[in-house]
Amino acid sequence: MSVQTPQNSEPASPATVSLPTYEDVVAAAQRIDGAAHRTPVLTSRTADERTGGRLFFKAENFQRGGAFKFRGAYNAIARLSPDARKRGVVAFSSGNHAQAIAYAGQLQGVPTVIIMPQDAPAMKVAATKGYGGEVVLYDRYKEDREAIGRKLSQERGLTLIPPYDHEDVIAGQGTATKELIEEVGPLDMLLVCVGGGGLLAGSALASKALSPDCRIYGVEPEAGNDAQQSFRTGSIVRIPVPATIADGAQTTYVGNKTFPIMRALAEDILTVSDAQLVDTMRFFVERMKIVVEPTGCLAAAAALHGMVPCKDKRVGIIISGGNVDPRALAGFLAG
Ligand SMILES: *Cc1c(COP(=O)(O)O)cnc(C)c1O
Protein backbone atom coordinates (compact mmCIF):
# COMPACT_ATOMS: atom_id res chain seq x y z
CA MET A 1 0.00 0.00 0.00
CA SER A 2 1.28 3.46 -0.77
CA VAL A 3 0.24 6.95 0.14
CA GLN A 4 -0.27 9.37 -2.70
CA THR A 5 2.47 11.79 -1.85
CA PRO A 6 3.11 14.44 -4.46
CA GLN A 7 6.82 15.15 -4.81
CA ASN A 8 7.90 18.45 -3.37
CA SER A 9 9.37 19.45 -6.70
CA GLU A 10 6.00 19.23 -8.45
CA PRO A 11 3.93 22.40 -8.50
CA ALA A 12 1.01 21.84 -6.15
CA SER A 13 -2.34 22.09 -7.87
CA PRO A 14 -5.17 23.41 -5.71
CA ALA A 15 -6.67 19.91 -5.55
CA THR A 16 -3.43 18.37 -4.34
CA VAL A 17 -2.72 17.99 -0.66
CA SER A 18 1.02 17.88 -0.16
CA LEU A 19 1.85 15.15 2.33
CA PRO A 20 5.00 14.45 4.32
CA THR A 21 7.01 11.27 3.75
CA TYR A 22 9.36 9.18 5.89
CA GLU A 23 12.27 11.26 4.52
CA ASP A 24 10.68 14.26 6.23
CA VAL A 25 10.59 12.31 9.50
CA VAL A 26 14.31 11.54 9.11
CA ALA A 27 15.06 15.22 8.43
CA ALA A 28 12.94 16.22 11.45
CA ALA A 29 14.89 13.79 13.65
CA GLN A 30 18.11 15.55 12.65
CA ARG A 31 16.61 18.98 13.34
CA ILE A 32 15.32 18.13 16.82
CA ASP A 33 18.41 16.14 17.81
CA GLY A 34 19.89 17.66 20.94
CA ALA A 35 16.81 19.81 21.57
CA ALA A 36 14.12 17.18 22.16
CA HIS A 37 14.68 14.45 24.71
CA ARG A 38 15.23 10.94 23.43
CA THR A 39 12.56 9.61 25.80
CA PRO A 40 12.92 6.23 27.51
CA VAL A 41 11.18 3.04 26.42
CA LEU A 42 9.59 1.37 29.46
CA THR A 43 8.49 -2.22 29.92
CA SER A 44 6.34 -3.84 32.58
CA ARG A 45 6.16 -7.49 33.51
CA THR A 46 2.66 -6.91 34.86
CA ALA A 47 1.50 -5.40 31.55
CA ASP A 48 3.03 -8.30 29.66
CA GLU A 49 1.33 -10.84 31.94
CA ARG A 50 -2.00 -9.05 31.68
CA THR A 51 -1.96 -8.98 27.85
CA GLY A 52 0.15 -12.04 27.00
CA GLY A 53 2.32 -9.88 24.77
CA ARG A 54 5.58 -7.97 25.01
CA LEU A 55 4.74 -4.29 25.43
CA PHE A 56 7.13 -1.40 24.77
CA PHE A 57 5.96 1.96 26.13
CA LYS A 58 7.50 5.07 24.54
CA ALA A 59 7.30 7.55 27.40
CA GLU A 60 6.60 10.96 25.85
CA ASN A 61 5.28 12.11 29.22
CA PHE A 62 9.01 12.69 29.85
CA GLN A 63 9.37 14.83 26.71
CA ARG A 64 10.14 18.54 27.11
CA GLY A 65 6.93 20.36 27.90
CA GLY A 66 5.48 17.04 29.07
CA ALA A 67 4.19 15.76 25.72
CA PHE A 68 5.28 14.68 22.22
CA LYS A 69 4.02 18.02 20.83
CA PHE A 70 7.47 19.53 21.40
CA ARG A 71 8.80 17.42 18.50
CA GLY A 72 6.45 18.82 15.86
CA ALA A 73 6.57 22.35 17.25
CA TYR A 74 10.36 22.45 17.31
CA ASN A 75 10.62 21.01 13.80
CA ALA A 76 8.07 23.44 12.34
CA ILE A 77 9.83 26.45 13.87
CA ALA A 78 13.25 25.19 12.76
CA ARG A 79 11.97 25.08 9.16
CA LEU A 80 11.00 28.77 9.03
CA SER A 81 12.93 31.24 6.88
CA PRO A 82 15.19 33.71 8.74
CA ASP A 83 12.67 36.43 7.97
CA ALA A 84 9.70 34.49 9.30
CA ARG A 85 11.67 33.60 12.43
CA LYS A 86 12.25 37.28 13.13
CA ARG A 87 8.54 38.09 12.84
CA GLY A 88 7.47 35.15 14.97
CA VAL A 89 4.76 32.50 15.07
CA VAL A 90 1.22 32.26 16.36
CA ALA A 91 -0.65 29.22 17.63
CA PHE A 92 -4.05 28.69 19.18
CA SER A 93 -4.53 25.99 21.74
CA SER A 94 -5.36 25.63 25.39
CA GLY A 95 -3.26 22.53 25.66
CA ASN A 96 0.07 20.94 24.97
CA HIS A 97 0.61 22.40 21.49
CA ALA A 98 0.57 25.94 22.88
CA GLN A 99 3.15 25.15 25.52
CA ALA A 100 5.27 23.28 22.99
CA ILE A 101 5.27 26.21 20.54
CA ALA A 102 6.15 28.69 23.30
CA TYR A 103 8.95 26.47 24.58
CA ALA A 104 10.36 25.61 21.15
CA GLY A 105 10.18 29.28 20.16
CA GLN A 106 12.05 30.33 23.28
CA LEU A 107 14.82 27.79 22.61
CA GLN A 108 15.22 28.98 19.02
CA GLY A 109 14.91 32.70 19.77
CA VAL A 110 11.64 33.04 17.87
CA PRO A 111 8.84 35.19 19.34
CA THR A 112 5.56 33.35 19.91
CA VAL A 113 1.99 34.48 20.38
CA ILE A 114 -0.41 31.96 21.88
CA ILE A 115 -4.15 32.48 21.66
CA MET A 116 -5.86 30.88 24.67
CA PRO A 117 -9.40 30.95 26.05
CA GLN A 118 -10.00 33.34 28.99
CA ASP A 119 -11.08 30.38 31.10
CA ALA A 120 -8.00 28.24 30.37
CA PRO A 121 -6.49 26.76 33.55
CA ALA A 122 -4.28 29.38 35.25
CA MET A 123 -1.52 26.77 35.44
CA LYS A 124 -1.43 26.40 31.64
CA VAL A 125 -1.48 30.15 31.03
CA ALA A 126 1.36 30.56 33.55
CA ALA A 127 3.37 27.72 31.97
CA THR A 128 2.97 29.24 28.50
CA LYS A 129 4.09 32.67 29.75
CA GLY A 130 6.92 31.00 31.64
CA TYR A 131 8.20 29.66 28.33
CA GLY A 132 8.24 33.22 27.00
CA GLY A 133 5.00 33.05 25.00
CA GLU A 134 2.91 36.19 24.63
CA VAL A 135 -0.58 35.07 25.67
CA VAL A 136 -3.62 36.62 23.97
CA LEU A 137 -6.84 35.67 25.75
CA TYR A 138 -10.21 35.42 24.00
CA ASP A 139 -13.79 34.70 24.95
CA ARG A 140 -14.48 31.28 23.55
CA TYR A 141 -18.25 31.74 23.72
CA LYS A 142 -18.19 34.96 21.69
CA GLU A 143 -15.01 35.08 19.65
CA ASP A 144 -13.48 32.89 16.95
CA ARG A 145 -9.88 31.97 17.75
CA GLU A 146 -9.05 31.18 14.13
CA ALA A 147 -10.20 34.64 13.07
CA ILE A 148 -8.08 36.19 15.84
CA GLY A 149 -5.13 34.09 14.68
CA ARG A 150 -5.57 35.16 11.05
CA LYS A 151 -5.87 38.83 12.05
CA LEU A 152 -2.73 38.68 14.18
CA SER A 153 -0.83 36.84 11.51
CA GLN A 154 -1.78 39.46 8.91
CA GLU A 155 -1.12 42.47 11.14
CA ARG A 156 2.18 41.25 12.51
CA GLY A 157 3.35 38.90 9.80
CA LEU A 158 3.28 35.94 12.16
CA THR A 159 3.35 32.39 10.81
CA LEU A 160 0.46 30.26 12.04
CA ILE A 161 1.50 26.78 13.16
CA PRO A 162 -1.53 24.50 13.55
CA PRO A 163 -1.53 21.65 16.10
CA TYR A 164 -1.69 18.72 13.66
CA ASP A 165 -2.59 19.44 10.04
CA HIS A 166 0.85 20.56 8.93
CA GLU A 167 3.64 18.66 7.16
CA ASP A 168 6.44 19.72 9.51
CA VAL A 169 4.31 19.02 12.57
CA ILE A 170 3.41 15.52 11.33
CA ALA A 171 7.05 14.79 10.42
CA GLY A 172 8.22 15.93 13.87
CA GLN A 173 5.66 13.77 15.67
CA GLY A 174 6.86 10.75 13.67
CA THR A 175 10.28 10.92 15.30
CA ALA A 176 8.98 9.30 18.53
CA THR A 177 8.13 6.07 16.69
CA LYS A 178 11.36 6.24 14.73
CA GLU A 179 13.28 6.27 18.03
CA LEU A 180 11.11 3.51 19.47
CA ILE A 181 11.65 1.07 16.60
CA GLU A 182 15.33 1.90 16.29
CA GLU A 183 15.70 1.08 19.98
CA VAL A 184 13.61 -2.10 20.35
CA GLY A 185 13.55 -3.49 16.81
CA PRO A 186 10.63 -4.47 14.57
CA LEU A 187 7.12 -4.57 16.06
CA ASP A 188 4.03 -6.65 15.29
CA MET A 189 1.70 -3.89 16.32
CA LEU A 190 1.78 -0.18 17.16
CA LEU A 191 -0.92 1.60 19.19
CA VAL A 192 -1.16 5.40 18.97
CA CYS A 193 -3.74 7.85 20.33
CA VAL A 194 -5.66 10.03 17.87
CA GLY A 195 -6.89 13.58 18.27
CA GLY A 196 -6.40 15.41 14.99
CA GLY A 197 -4.13 12.62 13.82
CA GLY A 198 -0.72 14.30 13.69
CA LEU A 199 0.89 11.76 15.97
CA LEU A 200 -0.78 8.81 14.26
CA ALA A 201 0.16 10.01 10.76
CA GLY A 202 3.78 10.65 11.67
CA SER A 203 4.02 7.38 13.59
CA ALA A 204 2.57 5.48 10.64
CA LEU A 205 5.17 6.95 8.25
CA ALA A 206 8.00 5.89 10.58
CA SER A 207 6.53 2.48 11.32
CA LYS A 208 5.90 1.54 7.67
CA ALA A 209 9.47 2.46 6.78
CA LEU A 210 11.23 0.77 9.70
CA SER A 211 8.93 -2.16 10.48
CA PRO A 212 6.86 -2.77 7.34
CA ASP A 213 4.85 -5.71 8.73
CA CYS A 214 3.77 -3.81 11.84
CA ARG A 215 0.00 -3.28 12.08
CA ILE A 216 -0.85 0.26 13.15
CA TYR A 217 -3.96 1.12 15.19
CA GLY A 218 -5.22 4.52 16.22
CA VAL A 219 -7.06 4.79 19.53
CA GLU A 220 -9.56 7.50 20.45
CA PRO A 221 -12.16 8.11 23.16
CA GLU A 222 -15.45 6.25 22.72
CA ALA A 223 -17.43 9.48 23.15
CA GLY A 224 -15.54 11.17 20.31
CA ASN A 225 -15.04 8.54 17.62
CA ASP A 226 -14.85 10.90 14.64
CA ALA A 227 -11.56 9.38 13.43
CA GLN A 228 -13.06 5.89 13.57
CA GLN A 229 -16.12 7.02 11.61
CA SER A 230 -13.92 8.83 9.11
CA PHE A 231 -11.57 5.88 8.74
CA ARG A 232 -14.39 3.41 8.18
CA THR A 233 -16.44 5.58 5.81
CA GLY A 234 -13.50 6.99 3.87
CA SER A 235 -14.26 10.67 4.31
CA ILE A 236 -13.71 13.12 7.15
CA VAL A 237 -16.63 13.10 9.60
CA ARG A 238 -17.21 16.08 11.90
CA ILE A 239 -18.75 15.65 15.35
CA PRO A 240 -19.73 18.03 18.18
CA VAL A 241 -17.12 18.55 20.95
CA PRO A 242 -17.13 15.19 22.75
CA ALA A 243 -17.53 14.82 26.52
CA THR A 244 -14.44 12.88 27.60
CA ILE A 245 -11.66 13.21 30.15
CA ALA A 246 -9.20 12.81 27.24
CA ASP A 247 -8.97 16.56 26.64
CA GLY A 248 -6.12 16.22 24.13
CA ALA A 249 -8.39 14.15 21.89
CA GLN A 250 -11.46 16.39 22.01
CA THR A 251 -10.84 17.41 18.42
CA THR A 252 -13.98 17.27 16.29
CA TYR A 253 -12.42 16.26 12.98
CA VAL A 254 -9.13 14.91 11.66
CA GLY A 255 -6.94 16.86 9.22
CA ASN A 256 -6.78 16.99 5.43
CA LYS A 257 -3.15 15.90 5.63
CA THR A 258 -3.38 13.48 8.55
CA PHE A 259 -6.43 11.63 7.22
CA PRO A 260 -5.04 10.32 3.90
CA ILE A 261 -1.94 9.04 5.68
CA MET A 262 -3.82 7.21 8.41
CA ARG A 263 -6.34 5.86 5.92
CA ALA A 264 -3.57 4.42 3.75
CA LEU A 265 -1.31 3.06 6.48
CA ALA A 266 -3.37 2.22 9.58
CA GLU A 267 -5.28 -1.02 10.13
CA ASP A 268 -8.21 0.48 12.01
CA ILE A 269 -9.18 3.02 14.66
CA LEU A 270 -10.23 1.60 18.05
CA THR A 271 -12.02 3.29 20.94
CA VAL A 272 -11.82 3.07 24.73
CA SER A 273 -14.11 4.41 27.47
CA ASP A 274 -13.28 7.06 30.06
CA ALA A 275 -13.52 4.35 32.75
CA GLN A 276 -10.83 2.37 30.90
CA LEU A 277 -8.67 5.50 30.76
CA VAL A 278 -8.99 5.98 34.52
CA ASP A 279 -8.10 2.33 35.10
CA THR A 280 -5.04 2.78 32.88
CA MET A 281 -4.01 5.97 34.69
CA ARG A 282 -4.16 4.00 37.94
CA PHE A 283 -2.15 1.17 36.35
CA PHE A 284 0.59 3.61 35.36
CA VAL A 285 0.78 5.10 38.86
CA GLU A 286 0.54 1.86 40.81
CA ARG A 287 2.57 -0.45 38.62
CA MET A 288 4.92 1.68 36.55
CA LYS A 289 5.22 4.67 38.92
CA ILE A 290 4.54 7.24 36.22
CA VAL A 291 2.08 10.11 35.79
CA VAL A 292 0.19 9.99 32.48
CA GLU A 293 -2.60 12.38 31.47
CA PRO A 294 -5.95 10.87 30.42
CA THR A 295 -5.26 11.34 26.67
CA GLY A 296 -1.83 9.78 27.13
CA CYS A 297 -3.54 6.59 28.36
CA LEU A 298 -5.56 5.92 25.19
CA ALA A 299 -3.13 3.57 23.42
CA ALA A 300 -2.23 1.63 26.56
CA ALA A 301 -5.90 1.30 27.53
CA ALA A 302 -6.62 -0.45 24.22
CA ALA A 303 -3.93 -3.04 24.96
CA LEU A 304 -4.67 -3.50 28.67
CA HIS A 305 -8.42 -3.85 28.04
CA GLY A 306 -8.07 -6.28 25.17
CA MET A 307 -9.51 -4.03 22.45
CA VAL A 308 -6.97 -5.69 20.20
CA PRO A 309 -5.29 -9.04 20.95
CA CYS A 310 -1.67 -8.67 22.04
CA LYS A 311 -0.95 -12.32 22.82
CA ASP A 312 2.56 -13.32 21.72
CA LYS A 313 2.95 -9.98 19.93
CA ARG A 314 5.59 -7.30 20.21
CA VAL A 315 3.52 -4.19 20.75
CA GLY A 316 4.66 -0.57 20.66
CA ILE A 317 2.58 1.87 22.73
CA ILE A 318 2.99 5.62 22.63
CA ILE A 319 2.36 7.34 25.96
CA SER A 320 1.64 10.76 24.50
CA GLY A 321 1.86 13.06 27.53
CA GLY A 322 1.81 13.57 31.27
CA ASN A 323 0.29 17.01 31.79
CA VAL A 324 -2.45 16.47 34.32
CA ASP A 325 -3.24 18.76 37.23
CA PRO A 326 -2.21 16.93 40.44
CA ARG A 327 -5.59 17.55 42.03
CA ALA A 328 -7.40 16.22 38.98
CA LEU A 329 -5.14 13.16 39.02
CA ALA A 330 -5.89 12.57 42.70
CA GLY A 331 -9.61 12.81 41.91
CA PHE A 332 -9.33 10.23 39.10
CA LEU A 333 -7.38 7.84 41.30
CA ALA A 334 -9.73 8.24 44.26
CA GLY A 335 -12.87 7.84 42.16
C1 LIG B 1 -2.23 16.62 21.12
C2 LIG B 1 -2.25 15.41 21.94
C3 LIG B 1 -2.80 14.20 21.46
C4 LIG B 1 -3.45 14.10 20.10
O1 LIG B 1 -2.51 14.30 19.07
P1 LIG B 1 -2.95 14.53 17.55
O2 LIG B 1 -1.70 14.72 16.81
O3 LIG B 1 -3.85 15.74 17.53
O4 LIG B 1 -3.72 13.33 17.15
C5 LIG B 1 -2.72 13.09 22.26
N1 LIG B 1 -2.15 13.13 23.48
C6 LIG B 1 -1.62 14.26 23.98
C7 LIG B 1 -1.01 14.23 25.33
C8 LIG B 1 -1.63 15.43 23.22
O5 LIG B 1 -1.10 16.56 23.72
Side-chain angles (χ1 to χ4, degrees):
M1 207 177 335
S2 74
V3 202
Q4 293 302 312
T5 50
Q7 298 303 306
N8 288 337
S9 53
E10 275 176 21
S13 79
T16 311
V17 183
S18 165
L19 302 176
T21 64
Y22 178 62
E23 277 59 54
D24 298 311
V25 178
V26 173
Q30 281 158 4
R31 272 181 220 112
I32 70 169
D33 185 33
H37 291 317
R38 208 178 166 93
T39 53
V41 177
L42 310 177
T43 57
S44 156
R45 187 187 291 256
T46 314
D48 289 355
E49 280 168 5
R50 190 161 150 181
T51 60
R54 183 102 177 87
L55 274 46
F56 301 97
F57 298 89
K58 179 68 169 166
E60 286 295 297
N61 52 320
F62 294 128
Q63 187 50 262
R64 287 181 103 165
F68 71 90
K69 292 274 192 337
F70 183 81
R71 296 173 181 271
Y74 194 94
N75 185 50
I77 291 176
R79 290 263 290 146
L80 296 174
S81 70
D83 214 40
R85 293 168 74 96
K86 220 173 290 159
R87 289 193 301 266
V89 302
V90 58
F92 43 77
S93 156
S94 51
N96 292 331
H97 176 64
Q99 289 180 55
I101 287 286
Y103 198 6
Q106 183 183 53
L107 292 170
Q108 298 181 71
V110 173
T112 57
V113 177
I114 312 296
I115 303 166
M116 300 179 98
Q118 268 161 8
D119 56 355
M123 207 180 84
K124 286 198 167 161
V125 176
T128 306
K129 285 183 178 166
Y131 291 138
E134 174 189 339
V135 175
V136 172
L137 297 173
Y138 75 103
D139 180 344
R140 65 177 168 141
Y141 299 101
K142 293 193 185 137
E143 295 175 290
D144 173 8
R145 65 181 189 176
E146 300 194 25
I148 298 172
R150 274 196 302 273
K151 186 161 169 281
L152 275 173
S153 94
Q154 275 159 16
E155 283 173 6
R156 294 166 57 175
L158 306 173
T159 303
L160 179 72
I161 302 182
Y164 53 86
D165 211 21
H166 187 285
E167 285 170 77
D168 302 326
V169 172
I170 295 169
Q173 317 308 32
T175 58
T177 290
K178 178 176 181 289
E179 290 174 15
L180 169 64
I181 298 174
E182 282 172 353
E183 182 167 334
V184 306
L187 299 168
D188 299 311
M189 199 154 73
L190 177 68
L191 301 174
V192 184
C193 54
V194 194
L199 182 63
L200 176 60
S203 301
L205 292 173
S207 174
K208 278 294 160 199
L210 298 172
S211 184
D213 296 330
C214 175
R215 296 159 79 91
I216 303 153
Y217 292 88
V219 186
E220 69 182 342
E222 214 168 73
N225 71 334
D226 63 292
Q228 184 181 60
Q229 291 183 47
S230 305
F231 187 89
R232 293 182 181 177
T233 61
S235 60
I236 297 173
V237 172
R238 291 178 182 239
I239 59 164
V241 177
T244 169
I245 59 169
D247 55 345
Q250 271 182 319
T251 34
T252 55
Y253 51 91
V254 294
N256 289 319
K257 292 175 188 290
T258 59
F259 182 63
I261 299 173
M262 68 174 88
R263 188 99 207 297
L265 302 182
E267 217 62 45
D268 197 6
I269 311 285
L270 312 168
T271 63
V272 298
S273 68
D274 277 9
Q276 289 169 331
L277 292 177
V278 170
D279 176 82
T280 304
M281 234 181 300
R282 185 175 293 116
F283 177 87
F284 279 132
V285 169
E286 277 179 2
R287 299 292 178 158
M288 296 177 68
K289 319 301 174 193
I290 58 171
V291 171
V292 182
E293 65 183 276
T295 317
C297 292
L298 281 163
L304 294 172
H305 289 90
M307 310 315 288
V308 62
C310 297
K311 191 157 176 16
D312 300 326
K313 300 246 170 12
R314 291 167 52 80
V315 184
I317 290 173
I318 310 287
I319 297 175
S320 58
N323 293 326
V324 54
D325 180 88
R327 259 168 302 184
L329 177 68
F332 289 132
L333 298 179

